[in-house]
């Protein structure tokens, strides 16, 4: 533990990012917790302070922060291709799984066996989010002031229904002025010494110099922005040429580009916008189908915003884009188009903005607002856990019955996570089996 781990090859990292794509359950909170366990604690590829520094940047971007964090770390380790591979492999397994599940859903309807699996998975996901909120909170909330910011953020979003961007802005302002008045409160990684003793030196440690490819230059920034814009224009031009301006695929590309730039606060912040556009405006799917898609998104690996792939698949199937004999092909094509336009901005944000962020280590005027934002996000994650618990334990609302079996599964999953440190995959497998047995019996 006294020496840093050996250098990691591109292909060794490739295998890890591929594995992460299949085990990244639990929404952003669970996914960030998995990455912290694997990359900071176990493999020691990056120090906790550098990990949190990157995470803070991803938290303030529109888009899925866990996928962007994987892209950032992959880029820091192995240049642009490392970031592209890490970010793409975080998404692709989820895309393929959702296409397969959406096909089963559209072709055969709601099978009892699928309903049973979901019945056990939903309480497990709830426990995972609670566990992740605890883990991130114990790392990020180093003092009473940061605990107060987290509590205020929870009250703001839970009781006052405050929009997530407003919470981020308020936390950033508190950190900006607090960093000047009480800098010791907002020093990033205030308790890092203890953590470092526990994990040992990292490959990219606190004092590791920024690698040459991650240093800021105006020419590189311009190149990344131009490449990103050309990719978007080429894809959109291809859709317009093939389907026209009013074609369903063209409309999906434009709509989900806008959605990608509005996803401050993760998937739940943008779902009302997606619902309004996909269900009410374009009628790509019904409200009930949207809810079923969200259940699939919650219980498959990858970012929760991957529910948009389900929306695209159902829309392509319903609109019969390639005729009544090619429904699966239409759905798969639409899901792929939607995924491309949803995630392209995330790669541009990281590859363009990463060098700027790497130049800000130890600069309190920059890190203090981000430290406060991280504290606020802990409160938002706790609100997500409450949201999940409400829908799992009272599926028909508070006026309906309390689901005691789901409560027992959730409590058991929580004990397994907190007390016995069981892994994510065994936990989800066990809970799915319990849910299936309960439903069939």
């Amino acid at each position: 533990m006294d020496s840093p781990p050996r250098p990691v090859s591109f292909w060794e990292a490739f295998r890890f990012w591929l594995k992460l794509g299949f085990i990244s359950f639990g929404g952003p909170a669970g996914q960030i917790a998995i990455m912290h366990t694997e990359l900071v604690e176990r493999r020691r590829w990056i120090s906790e302070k550098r990990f949190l520094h990157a995470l803070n940047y991803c938290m303030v971007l529109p888009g899925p922060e866990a996928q962007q964090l994987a892209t950032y770390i992959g880029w820091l380790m192995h240049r642009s291709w490392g970031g592209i591979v890490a970010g793409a492999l975080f998404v692709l397994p989820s895309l393929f799984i959702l296409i397969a599940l959406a096909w089963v859903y559209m072709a055969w309807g709601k099978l009892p066996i699928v309903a049973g699996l979901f019945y056990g998975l939903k309480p497990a996901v709830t426990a995972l989010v609670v566990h992740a909120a605890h883990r991130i909170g114990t790392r990020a909330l180093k003092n009473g002031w940061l605990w107060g910011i987290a509590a205020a953020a929870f009250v703001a979003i839970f009781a006052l229904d405050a929009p997530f961007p407003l919470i981020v802005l308020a936390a950033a302002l508190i950190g900006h002025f607090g960093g000047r008045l009480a800098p010791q409160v907002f020093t990033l990684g205030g308790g890092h010494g203890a953590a470092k003793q526990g994990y040992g030196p990292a490959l990219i440690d606190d004092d590791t110099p920024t690698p040459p490819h991650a240093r800021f230059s105006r020419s590189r920034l311009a190149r990344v922005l131009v490449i990103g814009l050309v990719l978007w224009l080429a894809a959109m031009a291809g859709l317009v040429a093939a389907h026209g301006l009013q074609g369903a695929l063209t409309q999906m590309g434009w709509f989900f580009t806008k959605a990608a730039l509005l996803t401050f606060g993760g998937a739940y912040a943008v779902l009302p916008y997606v619902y309004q556009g996909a269900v009410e405006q374009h009628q790509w799917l019904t409200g009930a189908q949207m809810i079923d898609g969200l259940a699939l998104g919650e219980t498959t690996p990858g970012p929760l915003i991957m529910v948009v792939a389900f929306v695209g698949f159902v829309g392509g199937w319903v609109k019969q884009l390639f005729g009544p004999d090619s429904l699966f092909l239409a759905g798969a094509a639409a899901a792929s188009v939607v995924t491309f336009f949803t995630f392209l901005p995330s790669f541009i944000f990281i590859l363009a903005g990463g060098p700027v962020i790497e130049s800000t280590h130890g600069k309190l005027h920059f890190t203090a607002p981000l430290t406060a934002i991280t504290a606020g996000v802990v409160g938002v994650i706790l609100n997500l856990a409450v949201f999940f618990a409400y829908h799992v334990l009272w599926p028909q609302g508070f006026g309906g019955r309390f689901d005691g079996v789901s409560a027992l599964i959730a409590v058991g999953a929580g004990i397994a996570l907190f007390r016995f440190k069981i892994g994510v995959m065994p936990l989800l497998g066990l809970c799915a089996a319990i849910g299936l047995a309960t439903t069939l019996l």
Side-chain angles (χ1 to χ4, degrees):
M1 295 290 283
D2 295 329
S3 59
R6 59 176 177 76
V8 178
S9 71
F10 177 87
W11 291 108
E12 184 180 349
F14 181 98
R15 289 191 295 273
F16 169 75
W17 298 122
L18 179 61
K19 171 191 170 187
L20 182 66
F22 283 100
I23 65 169
S24 55
F25 289 89
Q31 292 154 0
I32 291 165
I34 290 169
M35 276 193 277
H36 185 274
T37 300
E38 290 283 346
L39 297 177
V40 178
E41 300 176 28
R42 188 164 158 242
R43 300 170 191 265
R44 291 184 289 134
W45 287 0
I46 188 169
S47 71
E48 180 158 28
K49 194 171 183 179
R50 296 287 280 264
F51 181 91
L52 288 175
H53 191 76
L55 174 61
N56 284 337
Y57 172 55
C58 298
M59 287 288 191
V60 298
L61 292 174
E65 58 267 36
Q67 185 263 352
Q68 290 168 336
L69 179 61
T71 305
Y72 191 108
I73 296 172
W75 162 77
L76 196 57
M77 294 180 65
H78 294 112
R79 309 173 67 90
S80 295
W81 277 112
I84 291 168
V85 164
L89 291 178
F90 198 89
V91 170
L92 287 177
S94 176
L95 174 62
F96 295 140
I97 291 169
L98 274 172
I99 285 175
L101 291 176
W103 175 52
V104 171
Y105 176 86
M106 292 302 291
W108 289 288
K110 297 177 182 178
L111 299 175
I113 188 170
V114 177
L117 293 172
F118 283 176
Y119 183 73
L121 283 169
K122 288 178 182 179
V125 170
T126 304
L128 276 170
V129 175
V130 172
H131 183 246
H134 173 263
R135 292 189 62 172
I136 293 174
T138 53
R139 290 197 309 273
L141 308 181
K142 302 294 186 182
N143 53 62
W145 288 100
L146 296 178
W147 274 98
I149 293 172
F154 174 79
V155 171
I157 196 167
F158 178 78
L160 306 178
D161 202 24
F164 184 84
L166 182 62
I167 293 172
V168 169
L169 178 62
L173 289 173
I174 292 170
H176 173 73
F177 292 108
R180 296 181 177 185
L181 299 173
Q184 73 282 359
V185 171
F186 296 94
T187 300
L188 184 66
H192 183 62
K196 189 170 180 178
Q197 289 174 5
Y199 305 142
L203 193 62
I204 302 174
D205 216 337
D206 295 354
D207 52 2
T208 302
T210 299
H213 72 270
R215 294 173 189 157
F216 176 77
S217 75
R218 286 189 177 88
S219 61
R220 185 188 179 282
L221 173 63
R223 188 165 64 250
V224 171
L225 292 176
V226 167
I227 290 172
L229 184 60
V230 166
L231 285 172
W232 186 87
L233 286 171
M236 187 58 73
L239 292 178
V240 172
H243 302 281
L245 275 173
Q246 298 304 315
L249 287 179
T250 310
Q251 291 295 309
M252 286 180 184
W254 176 238
F255 176 78
F256 284 102
T257 295
K258 293 185 289 183
L261 299 175
L262 291 173
T263 51
F264 289 99
Y268 277 103
V270 80
L271 280 177
Y273 176 77
V274 173
Y275 180 93
Q276 185 180 42
V279 176
E280 297 176 1
Q281 181 183 349
H282 295 288
Q283 297 177 345
W284 292 325
L285 75 173
T286 66
Q289 288 171 331
M290 182 77 182
I291 295 169
D292 291 336
L294 182 57
L296 286 174
E298 288 172 355
T299 49
T300 51
L304 181 57
I305 195 61
M306 281 303 295
V307 68
V308 300
F310 178 87
V311 172
F313 186 98
V314 175
W317 180 293
V318 169
K319 298 295 183 182
Q320 299 186 4
L321 298 179
F322 307 137
D325 298 326
S326 302
L327 296 179
F328 173 80
L329 183 62
S336 302
V337 165
V338 163
T339 301
F340 174 83
F341 283 100
T342 299
F343 285 92
L344 177 63
S346 292
F347 288 97
I348 297 172
F349 289 140
I350 297 301
L351 298 180
V356 179
I357 302 308
E358 280 299 304
S359 68
T360 60
H361 289 296
K363 296 182 179 178
L364 189 64
H365 70 276
F366 183 86
T367 60
L370 294 182
T371 300
I373 288 169
T374 301
V377 167
V378 172
V380 174
I381 293 171
L382 185 59
N383 173 70
L384 179 62
V386 172
F387 177 89
F388 275 16
Y390 165 71
H391 285 278
V392 169
L393 301 181
W394 287 274
Q396 283 87 39
F398 279 129
R401 66 177 181 84
F402 175 78
D403 192 333
V405 176
S406 289
L408 286 174
I409 296 174
V411 170
I415 293 171
L417 286 167
F418 282 95
R419 177 68 180 86
F420 299 105
K421 315 294 184 189
I422 190 172
V424 173
M425 290 298 282
L427 176 75
L428 289 170
L430 181 60
C431 290
I434 294 171
L436 179 59
T438 303
T439 305
L440 294 180
L441 292 174

